């Protein structure tokens, strides 16, 4: 016991050596060469093999499917009503510019570290170090968790609205309510959102080719709804909303506040970089796919906002 205490004596610890060991482990980076070698051999460091079956069109479809959703159906109306008014168009443009700049960074990293998976986690591991990559990796998990929960909840809410709130009434009367969700109102356990999340998980688990096919079907449905909303909006366009004083009813502060909310609608394009190891030619596919998907999403959001003012 005395020997153990003697070893733990602070005076006997070589603090300089201990600090160098600690910093070297925290700040150590992963060599790009080892990642590229495993990618060329077709096997990752964990012994798994990912099929390179995704073309540029598939990556664009993934990016559009990840971005276009609640932004077109929920965020645009919410921002127009409460924050920016008709200036929501400007809010979407500002958010799109910020997203495109971020996307250019992803594209640059995707070219410098090709045929690897992991997105920002891998890029930070290669350039900054293991400690930063650790936090970014968990932040990515949190991002996807919140994004999946928000999307599933939005789909559940829309289904409940189409069913004349019969789903929520059934849950409230047969299961009960939950308190303390932040708004001082009662809510119910959203089992439908849970089922939607489990269904999407099962589809993704079938393989990237099947999940991309399912994503393409959803994108076609989104395209049909997009065209319908623009045609229907032509009959309700009010030119008076573009007059001076009405276009920015909340001022530029409302536009910037709306841009911060609209930026959420563009989150998801990083999935293109995440699936880089499954792309046929990531050097060219990732930059083109990120740019094309963001421009497509911007066109969808601005057009929907314009034809519904």
């Amino acid at each position: 016991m005395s020997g153990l205490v003697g070893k733990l004596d602070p005076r006997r610890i070589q603090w300089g050596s201990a600090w160098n060991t600690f910093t070297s482990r925290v700040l150590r980076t992963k060599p790009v060469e080892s990642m590229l070698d495993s990618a060329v051999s077709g096997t990752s460091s964990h012994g798994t093999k990912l099929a390179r079956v995704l073309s540029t069109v598939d990556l664009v479809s993934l990016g559009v499917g990840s971005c276009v959703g609640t932004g077109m159906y929920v965020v645009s109306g919410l921002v127009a009503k409460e924050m920016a008014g008709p200036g929501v168009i400007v809010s979407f443009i500002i958010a799109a510019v910020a997203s495109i700049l971020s996307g250019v960074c992803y594209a640059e990293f995707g070219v410098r570290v090709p045929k690897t998976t992991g997105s920002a986690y891998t890029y930070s591991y290669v350039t900054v170090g293991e400690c930063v990559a650790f936090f970014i990796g968990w932040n990515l998990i949190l991002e996807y968790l919140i994004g999946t929960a928000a999307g599933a909840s939005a789909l559940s809410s829309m289904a409940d609205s189409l069913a004349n709130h019969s789903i929520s009434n059934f849950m409230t009367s047969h299961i009960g309510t939950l308190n303390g969700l932040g708004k001082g109102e009662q809510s119910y356990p959203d089992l439908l959102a849970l089922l939607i999340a489990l269904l999407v998980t099962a589809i993704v688990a079938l393989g990237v080719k099947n999940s991309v096919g399912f994503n393409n079907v959803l994108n076609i449905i989104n395209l049909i709804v997009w065209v319908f909303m623009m045609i229907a909006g032509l009959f309700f366009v009010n030119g008076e909303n573009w007059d001076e004083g009405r276009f920015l009813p909340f001022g530029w502060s409302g536009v910037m506040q709306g841009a911060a909310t609209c930026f959420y609608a563009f989150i998801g394009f990083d999935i293109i970089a995440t699936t880089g190891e499954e792309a046929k030619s990531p050097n060219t596919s990732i930059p083109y796919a990120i740019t094309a998907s963001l421009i497509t999403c911007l066109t969808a959001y601005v057009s929907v906002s314009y034809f519904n003012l």
Side-chain angles (χ1 to χ4, degrees):
M1 187 66 181
S2 60
L4 178 61
V5 174
K7 292 180 180 180
L8 296 178
D9 188 351
R11 293 172 297 179
R12 300 186 59 181
I13 298 178
Q14 298 180 357
W15 292 105
S17 176
W19 175 253
N20 291 333
T21 303
F22 173 76
T23 54
S24 63
R25 291 182 178 180
V26 170
L27 301 178
R28 62 183 175 184
T29 59
K30 192 169 186 177
V32 181
E33 293 76 13
S34 63
M35 304 175 68
L36 295 180
D37 291 341
S38 61
V40 171
S41 62
T43 305
S44 67
S45 58
H46 299 286
T48 57
K49 183 178 181 180
L50 298 177
R52 298 173 191 157
V53 296
L54 298 181
S55 62
T56 304
V57 177
D58 293 330
L59 292 178
V60 172
S61 178
L62 277 176
V64 173
S66 300
C67 295
V68 174
T70 56
M72 190 167 63
Y73 304 120
V74 179
V75 175
S76 59
L78 175 66
V79 173
K81 179 181 178 181
E82 299 182 358
M83 301 177 188
V88 63
I89 296 177
V90 183
S91 297
F92 271 118
I93 293 176
I94 294 174
V97 170
S99 300
I100 290 175
L101 293 177
S102 178
V104 169
C105 296
Y106 270 95
E108 178 67 20
F109 278 119
V111 173
R112 290 181 177 272
V113 192
K115 298 182 180 180
T116 56
T117 186
S119 184
Y121 167 77
T122 301
Y123 304 152
S124 58
Y125 201 167
V126 170
T127 57
V128 183
E130 186 174 358
C131 181
V132 176
F134 174 82
F135 288 102
I136 290 181
W138 282 107
N139 284 332
L140 284 174
I141 293 176
L142 182 62
E143 173 192 341
Y144 290 130
L145 178 64
I146 295 176
T148 302
S153 179
L155 288 174
S156 175
S157 178
M158 292 178 184
D160 182 45
S161 179
L162 291 174
N164 197 21
H165 302 287
S166 59
I167 299 176
S168 58
N169 293 333
F170 177 83
M171 293 292 182
T172 302
S173 59
H174 289 77
I175 298 180
T177 59
L178 299 173
N179 298 324
L181 296 182
K183 294 184 178 181
E185 58 185 13
Q186 291 183 337
S187 183
Y188 60 93
D190 201 344
L191 297 182
L192 179 59
L194 175 62
L195 293 177
I196 293 174
L198 293 176
L199 176 62
V200 173
T201 303
I203 294 173
V204 173
L206 292 177
V208 65
K209 201 63 179 177
N210 295 323
S211 60
V212 168
F214 180 72
N215 182 73
N216 292 337
V217 174
L218 295 181
N219 282 339
I220 294 175
I221 297 175
N222 269 329
L223 177 62
I224 296 174
V225 175
W226 177 17
V227 174
F228 172 78
M229 292 176 68
M230 288 191 295
I231 296 175
L234 287 173
F235 299 95
F236 298 94
V237 172
N238 187 1
E240 296 180 354
N241 292 330
W242 293 77
D243 294 340
E244 185 178 356
R246 292 189 177 184
F247 185 72
L248 299 178
F250 301 97
W252 283 102
S253 61
V255 171
M256 298 306 296
Q257 183 181 1
T261 305
C262 291
F263 183 78
Y264 168 80
F266 291 93
I267 292 177
F269 66 86
D270 57 322
I271 193 174
I272 298 174
T274 305
T275 55
E277 193 173 348
E278 296 168 280
K280 295 179 180 178
S281 54
N283 287 4
T284 56
S285 297
I286 291 179
Y288 289 144
I290 290 177
T291 305
S293 61
L294 288 176
I295 292 176
T296 302
C297 294
L298 173 62
T299 305
Y301 293 147
V302 170
S303 60
V304 167
S305 301
Y306 172 80
F307 286 106
N308 287 279
L309 292 179

